[in-house]
Amino acid sequence: MMMMNNSDTITKIGSIIATIVFIKALYEQYVPNYWREVINTFLWRHTRIIMNMFSNYHSIIVEEYAGQRFSRSEAYTIIETYLSEKASKKARGLKASFVEDGNSLMLGLADNEEVVDVFQGVKVWWTSFKFSSNSQTITFYPGDDQLRQFKVTFHSRHRKFVTETYINHILEEGKSIAISKRQRKLFTNVKEDASSHGSLWDHVEFKHPANFDILGMAKSKKQAIVDDLIRFSKAKNYYTKIGKPWKRGYLLYGPPGTGKSTMIAAMANLLNYDIYDLELTAVKDNTQLRRLLIQTSTKSIIVIEDIDCSLELTGQRSSTEKKETENSNSTVKDAIKNKLTGKEEDKKSQVTLSGLLNFIDGIWSACGEERIIVFTTNYIDKLDPALIRRGRMDVHIELSYCCYEAFLVLAKNYLDIEEHRLFEKIKGLLSEINVCPADVAENLMPKSLDLDDEKTVELCLRDLISALEMIRLKTEKKTEESQVNVGNNEEIYKD
């Protein structure tokens, strides 16, 4: 009797399934595509409404394209990056796509796959849906072809936590993941007429290996700079509190070869920032300078190297009347000469000191955040005080000649040694002369890569000693000649 009941039940279920399949076939064969989409949409929406009335779970949907769907939703992109970390570890179905550099793959959540995420003890379910206008079932939400959405589902008792805490967490975490994995770039500005894609910046991949460990300078000084940079990168709330744009200026000054450019690369590597190398002489005017600033990204370092050689930005801000007249006459003569010879007049940059000052800390400087502006110069005395005052160039870093402590860093980097019997001799020479770290490093460069060979190490150190002694002799000779000239001038003055 029991077997008969089970058999009847199976038969009834089979009949129901057969009936559904038959009705579905008739529906798909005789109902036009347009009306099928309308019916599918109606059933999908109202089924969800009925299910939600009896469900203890809520959901949030993030669409790939928001509004008029002209641009991809930033929130969708960030969540996709966040889920790529979770999906690669937990999800069964994955999809692969090339990252920006085109040389590696990023694994993400495949369509119609689900992954569970737990944050602070609260469990949520992320699902990836694909929109398809060609879908003939109600499995997907009807819409434009190849469009997607993410849905996060959670228990109703966690609604406030998810909407206020969890969502903010994944947005911040997703941004951090994207920044850590992005291809960093080195930008340079191009002339406006040379830009074919509307951007005033061109770029290459940034691969400079410099870091603070290899910089030839005092350890305490390096540590102070590193601490300041890290403190700045974490100070968003503080800058908001004091009402200042989230930016910081660094002035690097000192003789050539003291490591100014290397320090910039080390700063970028420490903070994982892009670098914008701004060539002022290629900037047409103040308006274009502002456009360049607008097109820079957050988490970047804007560099103007040798600022003392860039345009007429040094010395007094206004010239005398006589100089203005001479410049005016010279301009007229040049224009006439170019006209007679058929040459086009050279277009010189019209960037002014005032325009550059507004670029650094004017209203336009607040158009982005988390930026560092770096000036380098060999001659700090040539710069206008207004350009380098505190508030514009907040940190002044002098990169000077090589001291003994800096030499120890270079010896460790180049020769992999921390002590040697010739170090005392080198210490004495460095205290007597001025030599750039670049010159010291060049003499420490081994002819052979076999640093385990004591002869190789000693040969490098002796080459350095010879170079330092040569510099000392030249310095003494110049000093003697200078004293002779002073004595001769005194004799002439007495006569």
Side-chain angles (χ1 to χ4, degrees):
M1 190 71 174
M2 182 68 67
M3 293 180 60
M4 289 290 294
N5 290 337
N6 290 338
S7 176
D8 292 342
T9 303
I10 293 173
T11 303
K12 290 179 181 179
I13 293 174
S15 300
I16 294 172
I17 293 174
T19 303
I20 292 173
V21 171
F22 177 71
I23 295 174
K24 181 177 181 293
L26 293 176
Y27 173 76
E28 293 178 352
Q29 183 176 356
Y30 294 106
V31 178
N33 288 338
Y34 171 77
W35 287 107
R36 285 209 305 271
E37 281 198 17
V38 172
I39 294 171
N40 288 347
T41 302
F42 176 83
L43 291 175
W44 172 262
R45 290 177 178 173
H46 287 78
T47 299
R48 286 195 304 166
I49 292 173
I50 294 172
M51 291 176 63
N52 289 337
M53 291 175 61
F54 299 96
S55 175
N56 290 325
Y57 289 86
H58 295 172
S59 63
I60 299 173
I61 292 176
V62 181
E63 296 183 350
E64 184 177 16
Y65 289 87
Q68 298 298 316
R69 296 177 177 170
F70 292 134
S71 59
R72 204 168 191 242
S73 168
E74 183 180 0
Y76 182 93
T77 303
I78 294 173
I79 292 173
E80 183 179 44
T81 303
Y82 174 82
L83 291 179
S84 69
E85 291 286 299
K86 302 293 181 181
S88 60
K89 300 175 182 178
K90 298 180 180 181
R92 298 180 64 183
L94 302 172
K95 65 178 180 180
S97 59
F98 279 108
V99 296
E100 188 180 5
D101 60 10
N103 297 321
S104 56
L105 290 173
M106 179 178 74
L107 297 177
L109 194 62
D111 297 327
N112 308 309
E113 282 293 330
E114 183 179 86
V115 65
V116 178
D117 189 22
V118 179
F119 179 66
Q120 294 186 10
V122 175
K123 182 184 291 187
V124 300
W125 293 262
W126 282 99
T127 311
S128 173
F129 289 99
K130 179 181 178 181
F131 289 70
S132 177
S133 60
N134 297 323
S135 176
Q136 296 182 355
T137 68
I138 60 172
T139 303
F140 308 109
Y141 183 88
D144 295 335
D145 190 26
Q146 299 300 317
L147 300 183
R148 293 173 172 82
Q149 69 181 16
F150 288 121
K151 182 175 76 170
V152 56
T153 304
F154 51 90
H155 198 279
S156 58
R157 64 174 175 267
H158 301 309
R159 179 188 180 97
K160 185 176 181 180
F161 174 82
V162 171
T163 56
E164 296 181 3
T165 304
Y166 177 69
I167 293 297
N168 289 333
H169 161 72
I170 63 172
L171 291 177
E172 291 296 326
E173 188 71 15
K175 289 178 182 178
S176 298
I177 295 171
I179 290 170
S180 65
K181 291 190 173 183
R182 84 188 194 283
Q183 173 192 357
R184 291 191 299 125
K185 299 172 183 176
L186 172 62
F187 293 84
T188 184
N189 55 307
V190 297
K191 291 186 177 180
E192 193 167 16
D193 53 4
S195 175
S196 59
H197 45 78
S199 175
L200 295 175
W201 295 100
D202 203 356
H203 69 268
V204 295
E205 187 176 354
F206 180 71
K207 290 185 175 181
H208 201 296
N211 59 70
F212 277 91
D213 291 336
I214 59 94
L215 286 180
M217 61 188 303
K219 185 177 180 180
S220 58
K221 191 172 184 178
K222 284 194 294 185
Q223 190 59 50
I225 297 170
V226 169
D227 291 343
D228 187 79
L229 289 167
I230 294 176
R231 186 164 51 247
F232 165 78
S233 68
K234 298 178 179 179
K236 179 178 181 179
N237 293 335
Y238 177 76
Y239 276 84
T240 302
K241 175 185 175 183
I242 63 177
K244 290 184 64 176
W246 190 12
K247 63 179 184 61
R248 194 157 178 79
Y250 286 79
L251 174 66
L252 310 183
Y253 66 96
T258 51
K260 294 184 286 293
S261 298
T262 305
M263 173 166 284
I264 293 170
M267 293 166 68
N269 287 330
L270 175 71
L271 299 177
N272 203 23
Y273 284 7
D274 293 324
I275 294 181
Y276 289 82
D277 185 13
L278 178 59
E279 176 54 60
L280 280 180
T281 56
V283 183
K284 183 172 64 175
D285 51 28
N286 294 336
T287 301
Q288 190 178 85
L289 186 63
R290 288 194 292 269
R291 288 183 57 201
L292 284 163
L293 179 64
I294 292 172
Q295 291 184 12
T296 59
S297 63
T298 60
K299 294 185 178 295
S300 61
I301 300 176
I302 302 173
V303 180
I304 303 179
E305 293 202 83
D306 299 319
I307 185 69
D308 52 292
C309 302
S310 300
L311 309 178
E312 294 296 330
L313 301 174
T314 59
Q316 299 297 323
R317 287 191 242 185
S318 62
S319 58
T320 61
E321 223 177 273
K322 180 179 179 181
K323 187 174 180 181
E324 289 177 353
T325 304
E326 290 176 354
N327 289 340
S328 178
N329 292 337
S330 176
T331 302
V332 173
K333 289 178 181 178
D334 290 341
I336 295 173
K337 182 179 179 181
N338 291 334
K339 189 73 175 177
L340 293 174
T341 57
K343 295 180 180 179
E344 293 186 4
E345 183 179 356
D346 291 335
K347 295 181 179 180
K348 294 184 178 180
S349 174
Q350 299 299 315
V351 174
T352 64
L353 178 59
S354 175
L356 184 60
L357 296 181
N358 288 326
F359 173 86
I360 300 169
D361 68 347
I363 294 177
W364 285 96
S365 68
C367 67
E369 58 182 16
E370 200 170 354
R371 289 196 187 102
I372 290 176
I373 300 175
V374 178
F375 289 167
T376 72
T377 180
N378 297 334
Y379 308 101
I380 189 173
D381 295 335
K382 289 185 177 181
L383 299 180
D384 191 301
L387 188 64
I388 60 174
R389 69 165 175 80
R390 305 290 178 171
R392 290 194 173 111
M393 293 294 105
D394 305 285
V395 183
H396 293 192
I397 302 173
E398 181 181 9
L399 298 174
S400 189
Y401 295 108
C402 187
C403 62
Y404 181 65
E405 189 174 355
F407 160 75
L408 293 177
V409 175
L410 296 174
K412 175 64 176 176
N413 293 335
Y414 283 82
L415 301 177
D416 200 21
I417 58 174
E418 296 182 357
E419 57 182 17
H420 195 276
R421 59 186 178 81
L422 295 176
F423 277 13
E424 198 63 30
K425 175 70 173 177
I426 294 172
K427 181 178 181 180
L429 289 169
L430 289 175
S431 65
E432 298 174 7
I433 61 174
N434 292 330
V435 59
C436 295
D439 294 329
V440 174
E442 184 61 30
N443 284 281
L444 290 176
M445 185 75 73
K447 305 296 187 294
S448 169
L449 296 180
D450 184 12
L451 299 182
D452 293 331
D453 186 358
E454 294 183 5
K455 293 182 179 179
T456 299
V457 173
E458 181 151 344
L459 182 61
C460 291
L461 294 177
R462 290 196 177 280
D463 286 344
L464 175 60
I465 290 173
S466 298
L468 295 178
E469 288 177 340
M470 186 66 70
I471 294 173
R472 183 176 64 179
L473 290 175
K474 289 181 179 180
T475 303
E476 291 174 352
K477 186 176 179 180
K478 286 183 179 180
T479 303
E480 291 175 0
E481 291 176 352
S482 177
Q483 290 175 351
V484 171
N485 290 334
V486 171
N488 291 337
N489 290 335
E490 289 178 352
E491 291 295 330
I492 293 172
Y493 179 75
K494 289 178 182 179
D495 293 340

